[in-house]
Amino acid sequence: MKVLKNYIYNASYQLLALILPLITTPYVSRVLGPNGVGINAYTNSIAQYFILLANLGIALYGNREIAYVREDKNKLTLVFWEIQCLKVVTTLISVFIFIILAKIYSQYSTFLYLQSINVIAVVFDISWLYMGIEDFKKTVIRNTLIKIVSIILIFLFVKDHSDVALYIFILAISTFFGNITLWPFLKDTLNRNFKFHGLRPFRHLKPTIALFVPQIATQIYLVLNKTMLGTMRGPKFSGYYNYSDSLIKMVLALATALGTVMLPHIANAFSNKQYERVNKLLYKSFDYVTAIATPMAFGLAGISHTLVPIFYGKGYYQVGTAMTIEAVVIILISWSGTIGTQFLLPINRVKAYTTSVMLGAITNIVLNIPLIYFYGLYGAMVATVISELIVTSYQINYVKTIVNLASLFKYTFGYLSAGLLMFIPIFYISITFKPTFVVLLTELVIGALIYTLFIVFFRKDIVVYAIEILNKRRRK
C-alpha cells in the first residue's frame, strides 16, 4: 500500500509537471521566439555537464544507501551527513570550473553566469534523502509550490524577446530556493544529538563515481545533442531539439514515475534477501510501464503535426517531425528505466548498468557528428533513438540469465500492436487536415478509444484489479 501511495504522490507531481508547462511553454515560445528559446536551451545544456559533476552520482547512490539503513536512525544520520559533505566538495569544484568557462565564453557569458545558479543549487538538493526513506510527500509538495511560483513570475516579468536573461534567472532561482525548502524537515528525520566528529565522507567517493560514470554517459546523449546542434547549426536548432525533447520527456515522466518509487522499495527487499519478491516486483512494474508508455509513444507520434503548431505557434514546424521520430524513446527509456534503475541498481549490478549507458553514449557520439552534419535536427533525433535502443537491448540481454524474459514481455506484443493500430488513423488525420483544436481533440478521442478497447478485451485482469481497488477505497 505504501508503494501505491508513494506512486500516487509521484505520479500526481509528474502529471502537474506535465500540465504546468502546457500553460507556460506556448507563451514563452511566442514571446522569446526560436532564437531566445534556443539560447536558454544551449546555455543550459552546457550547465548540465557541471550539474552532473556536482551531483557525482549522489542522487542515485544516496537514494539507495539511505534505503539500506533507513530503519536505523543513527546510521541514517551518519550516511546522510557523510554523503552531503562529499556533495559540498564536488559542488564547489564544479562551480569554480563553470565560472571560469563562463568568463572565457564571452558571447554567452551573461547567460552562463545566470545558469551557474543551477549548479550552485545542487549542494542544497537533499531530495535523495526523502526518496530513500520513501517520504515522497515532502518533495512533491515542495516541487509543486516552486513550479507554481516560477510560472507566476514568468507571466509577470517575461514580456518580449529581450527578456531571455530574466527568464533564465527565474527558472534558476526557483530551483535554488526549491532545494532549500527541504532543509527545515531534517530536524524530524535525523538524529539531533548526532556527533559530527569521525565522519568519513570520502569512503563514499568510489561508489558514487561508479554511478557517476553511467550518469555521464546518459547525460552525453541527453544533452550533447543540444550542445552540438547549437554549435554546428546555431542556437535556434538547440531550441527545436529542446522543445521536441521536452514534450517527449514530459509525457515520459508519467510512464517512469513508478521508477523513483520502486528503487528504494526493491533495494530494501534485496537487502532483506527477498530475491523472489524482487523479480516479481520487476515483472509487475515492467508490465505497467509498457501498458502506459505504448499509447503515449504512438499517440504523441501520431498527433505531433497537429499539436506543435497549436502549442508552440509559427516557426516551429520542424519540431513536429522531430517528435514523430523521437517518440519511440518513450517506450525504450521506460524499459531501460525499469530494468536499469529499478532493478540493476537496487541489486547492485552497477557494472552492467554502466556498460549499457556507456554503449549508448559512444553510439550517440559516433552517430551525432555525421547525422547532424548531413541531416541537422532530424539526424540528432535518429542518433538519440539508436542510442536508447542500444542501451535497452544490452540491458535486456544481460538480465535474461537473472529473470524470465517470457514473463517480462508477456503482454508486450499486444500493447505494441494496439499502439500501432491507434497510430495509423491519428497520424493520417494529423498530416491531412489543418491543425485546429477540434482536429487535435478528434485524434485524442480516436486514439484513446482504440487503446482502451484493447485493454478492456485483452487485459481484463487489469480492469478487474482496478475495479477492486476502487471498491476497497469506497468502503473505507
Side-chain angles (χ1 to χ4, degrees), residues 41-337:
Y42 180 54
T43 55
N44 184 259
S45 73
I46 296 171
Q48 288 301 319
Y49 300 115
F50 294 88
I51 290 171
L52 182 67
L53 175 61
N55 270 310
L56 198 68
I58 287 170
L60 287 174
Y61 173 78
N63 186 339
R64 188 186 70 186
E65 293 303 302
I66 292 296
Y68 286 157
V69 299
R70 67 188 183 199
E71 280 84 11
D72 187 325
K73 201 167 186 177
N74 288 325
K75 288 183 179 178
L76 174 71
T77 306
L78 173 68
V79 169
F80 169 78
W81 283 116
E82 285 185 339
I83 293 175
Q84 185 58 29
C85 286
L86 177 62
K87 197 175 189 182
V88 171
V89 175
T90 58
T91 304
L92 287 173
I93 294 170
S94 188
V95 171
F96 178 73
I97 299 171
F98 186 74
I99 294 298
I100 293 174
L101 174 69
K103 190 173 182 179
I104 295 171
Y105 203 172
S106 58
Q107 184 180 358
Y108 296 105
S109 285
T110 301
F111 305 113
L112 288 170
Y113 284 134
L114 292 171
Q115 295 285 6
S116 70
I117 299 172
N118 287 307
V119 185
I120 297 168
V122 170
V123 75
F124 298 105
D125 182 11
I126 55 171
S127 57
W128 50 273
L129 166 67
Y130 296 100
M131 290 177 184
I133 62 175
E134 296 192 70
D135 184 359
F136 288 82
K137 184 177 179 180
K138 289 183 178 65
T139 56
V140 167
I141 292 174
R142 182 280 306 262
N143 290 339
T144 300
L145 291 174
I146 293 301
K147 280 191 175 293
I148 291 172
V149 170
S150 67
I151 285 172
I152 293 171
L153 293 174
I154 287 168
F155 279 119
L156 285 176
F157 298 107
V158 179
K159 298 297 183 182
D160 58 54
H161 65 277
S162 63
D163 291 331
V164 177
L166 181 59
Y167 175 67
I168 293 173
F169 175 73
I170 290 172
L171 294 178
I173 205 69
S174 297
T175 300
F176 180 85
F177 282 110
N179 289 348
I180 290 176
T181 56
L182 283 177
W183 282 77
F185 297 108
L186 283 181
K187 65 180 185 297
D188 300 319
T189 307
L190 305 180
N191 187 342
R192 298 186 186 184
N193 299 319
F194 179 73
K195 306 297 182 182
F196 283 89
H197 65 271
L199 287 178
R200 294 187 298 125
F202 291 101
R203 72 185 178 95
H204 300 281
L205 183 60
K206 186 176 178 180
T208 55
I209 289 175
L211 287 176
F212 178 54
V213 173
Q215 283 193 299
I216 291 174
T218 302
Q219 200 75 354
I220 284 174
Y221 63 85
L222 290 180
V223 179
L224 184 63
N225 293 327
K226 284 184 277 189
T227 309
M228 291 185 69
L229 276 168
T231 303
M232 296 170 67
R233 292 296 185 106
K236 180 171 68 174
F237 289 92
S238 291
Y240 288 153
Y241 184 95
N242 185 60
Y243 268 170
S244 172
D245 195 57
S246 294
L247 269 179
I248 295 291
K249 296 299 162 55
M250 278 192 283
V251 173
L252 179 65
L254 285 178
T256 57
L258 189 64
T260 310
V261 174
M262 291 299 290
L263 190 151
H265 200 68
I266 292 177
N268 190 254
F270 180 74
S271 69
N272 292 320
K273 299 182 179 180
Q274 299 171 338
Y275 304 125
E276 188 177 340
R277 184 163 175 263
V278 168
N279 283 17
K280 286 182 178 179
L281 286 170
L282 173 65
Y283 299 146
K284 286 183 179 180
S285 181
F286 192 88
D287 180 53
Y288 164 81
V289 163
T290 306
I292 295 297
T294 300
M296 289 178 175
F298 282 102
L300 196 58
I303 68 171
S304 61
H305 287 88
T306 303
L307 176 64
V308 167
I310 294 173
F311 193 54
Y312 292 128
K314 295 179 180 179
Y316 294 92
Y317 177 80
Q318 293 185 53
V319 177
T321 304
M323 280 175 56
T324 303
I325 298 170
E326 191 189 7
V328 69
V329 304
I330 294 174
I331 298 172
L332 295 174
I333 294 177
S334 295
W335 287 353
S336 62

